[in-house]
Amino acid sequence: MPHDGHDHDHATTFQPDIKEPSEEWEFLEIALRELLIDKGVVSAREIADTVEAWENKTPEAGAQIIAKAWTDADFKSRLLANGNSTVAELGIVFEGTQLVVVENTADLHHMVVCTLCSCYPRPILGMPPLWYKSKSYRARTVREPRAVLAEFGTDIPTSTEVRVLDSTADIRYLVIPRRPDGTDGMSVEALAALVTRDSMIGTATALQPDGGRTAA
Amino acid sequence: MSRFAPGDRVSVAKAFPPGHVRTPTFLRGLTGTVVRHFGAFPNPSLLAYGMSGQPPLNLYQVVFDMDDVWDGDGEYAAGDTVAADIYENWLEAAPQSNRKD
Amino acid sequence: MAGDSKTTTQAVERAITDLGGLKGGPIDRHEHEPTLTERRIDAMMMLMRAKPRAFWGSDENRRTIESLTPEFYEGSGYYERWVTAMRSLMIEKGILDSGDIDAKLAEVRARFPSNAGADGDKS
């Protein structure tokens, strides 16, 4: 998104439609930010630009990657072999951690959790949803994955191995969901629309072209 | 040089050291199978205190049978697994499984 | 986390962040658009950690969050923990002074007299 050119000097004020801070941690955010700006550690503009940059990182980037992998076998091979360098082909910068891409099949269904914190492939999926960071998801997924999947409305047959990936260290995982049946000949754009955020975490399957879930 | 290769059986140390560690408690003391070697990464237990993390540690994805982890006390199917990324200093070679796979 | 003696021992040994396998209620799946405050905390954290500043790394951040009290960890939101950790790390790294932060906080609270000290809504 091009920069809108409005000035960011109001970064320490509040726009009228935004709720006033009322809690101590919200005051702490203001205090730290103003001190950092006063001391020249960061500028208000840098903070505002970073906020804006994160708003532009959405799961659509991930959906583009998956749709391309579904339609281009060589790309998928490269993606599975080296996530970081392969997403760079699409202009996505993924640095600092190793991106590992795993593929869901009829025999193996991956789902990702971080039991120790909230590791998430943010350059590809944006900011993690609240549930991904929640204590219930982090606690339960490694022990009762099928109960968790059921809460997401996802039914994986017991003949398929569910493999929970606990993202404990320097690895960030992206799941390639199964390509839905009946999508032969669809454009990459149309396929990307079937790839939801949750299907790339593994708590859901991709959408059916008619809008439903794929049969697992 | 990595000590383990895919397919190797490994046991996770049943240790509870102080400080910052990245080995989840629920896997400590259990035996699993190496799936892949990711390379070597700076030691997070040292990085956590502002040190350089050298020497780096090999990092592996290790997969565990849900049944070995929870012994039935969970909601999973017979063949389900859980995998975690574990640094080499937490792993010891274990005998090949005598369980059926 | 009460239970038999084994469970209690484990609870003591576990870091407060180490949740794998513990019991939990239904997952709250509602979508939440991060507020401006949350986005700014996130942005500041990223700026502090990224080059060229690189004042601290993710493992130092995790260590700081692990050292929060269990009561605070249980009762706080995600970004509340982040901003609290950021304060500790800024003092630890000599980026900001503890007294300066307290003085600024008092000034900020005074800007919102109708809110400060009130029992804020938990969103």
Side-chain angles (χ1 to χ4, degrees):
Chain A
M1 186 194 273
H3 199 273
D4 61 6
H6 75 220
D7 102 57
H8 287 282
D9 289 340
H10 64 221
T12 57
T13 65
F14 287 87
Q15 292 157 29
D17 58 338
I18 291 171
K19 178 181 146 314
E20 283 205 341
S22 60
E23 298 189 39
E24 190 62 19
W25 67 278
E26 296 175 305
F27 299 142
L28 181 57
E29 181 275 319
I30 298 170
L32 295 180
R33 174 161 44 85
E34 292 184 0
L35 285 170
L36 289 174
I37 293 167
D38 288 349
K39 293 183 66 117
V41 179
V42 290
S43 66
R45 165 160 295 236
E46 256 183 305
I47 294 171
D49 286 351
T50 305
V51 166
E52 190 176 303
W54 277 107
E55 280 167 5
N56 293 331
K57 289 195 205 298
T58 70
E60 280 169 41
Q64 294 301 322
I65 295 168
I66 302 305
K68 186 162 172 61
W70 279 348
T71 53
D72 180 340
D74 289 341
F75 177 82
K76 187 170 86 177
S77 303
R78 292 198 298 281
L79 188 64
L80 292 169
N82 188 325
N84 301 71
S85 66
T86 308
V87 302
E89 295 174 22
L90 302 181
I92 298 167
V93 177
F94 202 106
E95 291 174 335
T97 51
Q98 188 171 323
L99 176 66
V100 170
V101 182
V102 294
E103 184 180 18
N104 282 352
T105 66
D107 299 323
L108 181 60
H109 178 94
H110 299 87
M111 63 190 295
V112 184
V113 64
C114 176
T115 62
L116 297 178
C117 41
S118 53
C119 298
Y120 191 74
R122 293 172 45 137
I124 287 174
L125 298 185
M127 290 165 82
L130 214 52
W131 59 258
Y132 185 84
K133 304 183 288 190
S134 71
K135 287 163 195 155
S136 284
Y137 183 76
R138 290 168 50 204
R140 293 174 54 209
T141 301
V142 294
R143 185 168 193 154
E144 39 182 315
R146 288 182 185 264
V148 170
L149 286 168
E151 284 180 32
F152 281 82
T154 303
D155 181 29
I156 305 294
T158 53
S159 56
T160 301
E161 173 187 337
V162 169
R163 177 170 293 186
V164 178
L165 299 179
D166 189 354
S167 182
T168 40
D170 291 275
I171 309 302
R172 299 294 175 274
Y173 287 102
L174 176 70
V175 175
I176 305 179
R178 291 179 70 190
R179 179 172 172 168
D181 292 336
T183 55
D184 291 354
M186 280 176 66
S187 68
V188 173
E189 292 71 35
L191 288 168
L194 304 178
V195 183
T196 61
R197 177 195 66 202
D198 292 5
S199 74
M200 293 183 277
I201 302 172
T203 51
T205 53
L207 300 174
Q208 288 280 23
D210 63 12
R213 294 282 183 86
T214 63
Chain B
M1 195 60 188
S2 59
R3 194 174 152 203
F4 303 111
D8 286 356
R9 294 284 286 173
V10 288
S11 293
V12 183
K14 196 178 178 91
F16 302 90
H20 176 74
V21 296
R22 302 297 298 170
T23 306
T25 297
F26 79 94
L27 293 174
R28 297 185 199 173
L30 298 177
T31 299
T33 305
V34 172
V35 177
R36 56 201 286 177
H37 172 230
F38 295 117
F41 294 82
N43 183 341
S45 296
L46 301 177
L47 288 178
Y49 295 90
M51 290 176 269
S52 68
Q54 301 302 311
L57 298 171
N58 284 303
L59 180 66
Y60 304 89
Q61 187 187 56
V62 182
V63 67
F64 303 83
D65 287 346
M66 284 277 181
D67 248 343
D68 287 347
V69 183
W70 305 117
D71 196 21
D73 186 16
E75 214 166 314
Y76 54 84
D80 291 349
T81 55
V82 55
D85 307 331
I86 303 182
Y87 295 93
E88 191 172 272
N89 59 337
W90 277 84
L91 299 174
E92 282 299 333
Q96 289 298 310
S97 175
N98 52 10
R99 304 170 57 248
K100 68 151 194 67
D101 277 323
Chain C
M1 231 166 287
D4 60 28
S5 59
K6 185 177 161 219
T7 316
T8 309
T9 308
Q10 282 196 344
V12 170
E13 287 159 346
R14 262 180 200 257
I16 51 176
T17 53
D18 184 359
L19 300 179
L22 298 179
K23 304 289 181 194
I27 294 158
D28 177 357
R29 293 173 53 225
H30 87 265
E31 296 293 330
H32 164 77
E33 268 302 300
T35 65
L36 182 59
T37 298
E38 291 172 335
R39 288 175 193 276
R40 282 174 170 162
I41 292 169
D42 201 278
M44 277 192 280
M45 184 68 94
M46 295 301 144
L47 287 166
M48 295 300 106
R49 272 158 47 169
K51 290 173 188 166
R53 295 178 188 85
F55 291 138
W56 62 79
S58 51
D59 287 296
E60 284 178 287
N61 190 49
R62 290 163 177 157
R63 180 256 301 165
T64 307
I65 289 185
E66 284 165 13
S67 64
L68 298 170
T69 64
E71 295 72 28
F72 184 82
Y73 188 80
E74 283 300 316
S76 55
Y78 185 77
Y79 283 107
E80 185 173 1
R81 297 194 286 271
W82 268 34
V83 75
T84 305
M86 202 150 55
R87 174 196 173 125
S88 301
L89 283 161
M90 283 170 178
I91 295 167
E92 179 183 319
K93 301 288 176 184
I95 301 159
L96 296 179
D97 173 82
S98 168
D100 289 351
I101 295 173
D102 289 342
K104 180 61 97 173
L105 256 176
E107 182 198 317
V108 171
R109 277 188 214 107
R111 269 183 235 166
F112 303 98
S114 59
N115 290 323
D119 193 12
D121 302 329
K122 289 276 178 195
S123 50

